């Protein structure tokens, strides 16, 4: 690969790389792996944003299986919305990214999730002082011996109980708890073909909540909620006997922030969007010609 491809200003991160890095709470996470790369700085405050090579957070583009993600980090600022065990790889471009990623100034994070096992059911359960997660994947229809007709599923759920566990870990803070929490759910179904063609359908629901405590009563007088929901699909078609590979994707998502304050009307901010595209790769020996089209609406 290094002799035939030019990969400038790109870091490829895999689950094994994430697990090698010491992490907050002992739970491997993509955002903590990114913070050790050159040019990456985390705000470390509510919002959990990344500043890459001096650019503002809105100048970073995050793609999950081709879907545009509006906010990929939790309000605590220490965790991403992605389960590291569900990831296949993440290509992080800090410059020189090609035209197929559209317009961004600072960086592009192209994150891909793994497909479920088409032969047997597997699972994993994990827990840390701040949260727990479960990942299960397996066949809905086992792949045949000629590697045709397989259907698999993957389900990942993460939940934070920091609001409760902080009462034991941080007894010296006001009222002994940190009013933060989140729940992440991601599901995926993969239809596999014997010639390399396949199709994925996926959906997600990422939720955050945080409370603002009154200094006198130590009771919540304001609540924030962040919700990020969406779904879509991606497909790869390998025509028999052809040197052209076709990829496509389609997705929609909705990102919303709610603010509730005692004595004031509820407020919210919301962004909705969709994107779909087709990419073609024409193979010419050791060289490739790539072309395509993408439509994005907000």
């Amino acid at each position: 690969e290094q002799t035939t491809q030019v990969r400038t200003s790109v870091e490829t991160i895999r689950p094994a790389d994430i697990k090698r890095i010491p992490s907050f709470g002992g739970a491997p996470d993509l955002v903590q792996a990114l913070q050790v790369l050159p040019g990456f700085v985390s705000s470390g405050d509510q919002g959990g944003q990344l500043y890459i090579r001096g650019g503002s957070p809105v100048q970073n583009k995050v793609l999950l299986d081709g879907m545009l993600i509006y906010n990929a980090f939790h309000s605590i600022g220490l965790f991403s919305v992605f389960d590291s065990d569900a990831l296949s790889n993440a290509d992080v471009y800090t410059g020189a990214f090609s035209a197929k990623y559209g317009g961004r100034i600072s960086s592009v994070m192209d994150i891909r999730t793994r497909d479920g096992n088409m032969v047997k059911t597997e699972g994993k359960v994990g827990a840390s002082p701040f949260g727990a997660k479960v990942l299960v994947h397996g066949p809905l229809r086992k792949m045949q011996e000629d590697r045709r007709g397989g259907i698999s599923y993957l389900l990942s759920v993460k939940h934070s109980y920091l609001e409760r566990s902080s009462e034991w870990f941080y007894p010296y803070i006001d009222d002994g708890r940190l009013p933060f929490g989140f729940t992440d759910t991601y599901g995926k179904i993969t239809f596999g073909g014997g010639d390399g063609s396949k199709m994925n359908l996926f959906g997600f629901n990422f939720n955050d909540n945080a409370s603002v405590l009154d200094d006198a009563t130590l009771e919540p007088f304001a609540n924030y909620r962040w919700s990020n929901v969406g779904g879509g699909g991606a497909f790869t078609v390998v025509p028999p006997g052809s040197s052209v590979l076709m990829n496509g994707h389609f997705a929609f998502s909705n990102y919303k922030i709610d603010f509730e304050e005692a004595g004031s009307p509820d407020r919210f901010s919301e962004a909705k969007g969709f994107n779909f595209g087709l990419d073609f790769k024409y193979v010419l020996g050791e060289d490739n010609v790539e072309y395509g089209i993408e439509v994005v609406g907000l």
Side-chain angles (χ1 to χ4, degrees):
E1 180 177 321
Q2 293 180 356
T3 62
T4 59
Q5 296 187 19
V6 178
R7 295 172 65 84
T8 305
S9 299
V10 57
E11 295 279 354
T12 298
I13 301 174
R14 296 180 175 86
D17 303 323
I18 300 175
K19 294 175 183 177
R20 293 190 184 102
I21 298 174
S23 55
F24 184 79
D29 194 272
L30 177 62
V31 66
Q32 298 180 52
L34 293 175
Q35 291 182 43
V36 304
L37 297 177
F40 287 70
V41 177
S42 175
S43 63
D45 202 347
Q46 275 187 255
Q49 301 290 350
L50 277 180
Y51 298 82
I52 300 176
R53 287 193 171 180
S56 65
V58 296
Q59 295 171 352
N60 303 321
K61 188 173 189 177
V62 181
L63 298 172
L64 176 63
D65 291 330
M67 174 188 293
L68 185 64
I69 301 295
Y70 293 104
N71 189 7
F73 308 104
H74 285 300
S75 60
I76 308 174
L78 299 167
F79 306 101
S80 69
V81 297
F82 312 115
D83 183 355
S84 59
D85 291 309
L87 298 183
S88 173
N89 67 280
D91 290 332
V92 184
Y93 298 83
T94 58
F97 39 86
S98 65
K100 72 177 182 179
Y101 292 111
R104 278 300 189 276
I105 298 175
S106 189
S107 72
V108 173
M109 302 181 207
D110 188 6
I111 300 169
R112 303 286 175 174
T113 58
R114 61 188 291 190
D115 297 335
N117 195 321
M118 291 193 178
V119 179
K120 62 180 180 179
T121 299
E122 296 179 328
K124 185 173 184 178
V125 177
S128 75
F130 310 106
K133 69 176 183 179
V134 59
L135 172 72
V136 60
H137 60 103
L140 294 174
R141 186 173 69 187
K142 289 187 177 182
M143 181 175 287
Q144 302 175 12
E145 293 183 358
D146 59 358
R147 303 186 65 82
R148 289 181 177 272
I151 303 176
S152 68
Y153 72 92
L154 182 145
L155 179 64
S156 169
V157 179
K158 292 195 303 178
H159 181 71
S160 164
Y161 40 72
L162 178 62
E163 186 174 6
R164 299 302 177 188
S165 61
S166 60
E167 297 179 3
W168 295 314
F169 297 122
Y170 306 109
Y172 50 83
I173 65 174
D174 292 340
D175 93 335
R177 66 189 181 94
L178 296 173
F180 301 100
F182 63 81
T183 301
D184 299 331
T185 305
Y186 178 82
K188 181 179 183 180
I189 297 178
T190 301
F191 303 84
D195 57 357
S197 300
K198 68 176 182 178
M199 180 175 182
N200 296 318
L201 298 175
F202 54 87
F204 67 86
N205 186 358
F206 305 141
N207 289 296
D208 265 83
N209 61 80
S211 300
V212 181
L213 305 181
D214 185 273
D215 293 335
T217 65
L218 298 181
E219 293 295 328
F221 75 90
N223 296 299
Y224 290 92
R225 287 195 303 271
W226 296 264
S227 64
N228 202 350
V229 298
F235 60 87
T236 300
V237 178
V238 184
S242 175
S243 56
V244 177
L245 180 70
M246 182 174 68
N247 293 289
H249 61 272
F250 55 92
F252 70 93
S253 59
N254 183 15
Y255 180 56
K256 186 177 182 181
I257 306 174
D258 290 284
F259 177 64
E260 300 174 352
E261 184 179 15
S264 300
D266 296 345
R267 287 169 279 174
F268 73 93
S269 178
E270 188 175 20
K272 299 179 181 179
F274 69 89
N275 65 298
F276 67 87
L278 288 173
D279 299 311
F280 300 89
K281 178 186 289 186
Y282 185 68
V283 180
L284 294 171
E286 294 184 351
D287 300 318
N288 299 324
V289 177
E290 298 186 16
Y291 55 97
I293 186 173
E294 184 175 33
V295 178
V296 179
L298 298 173

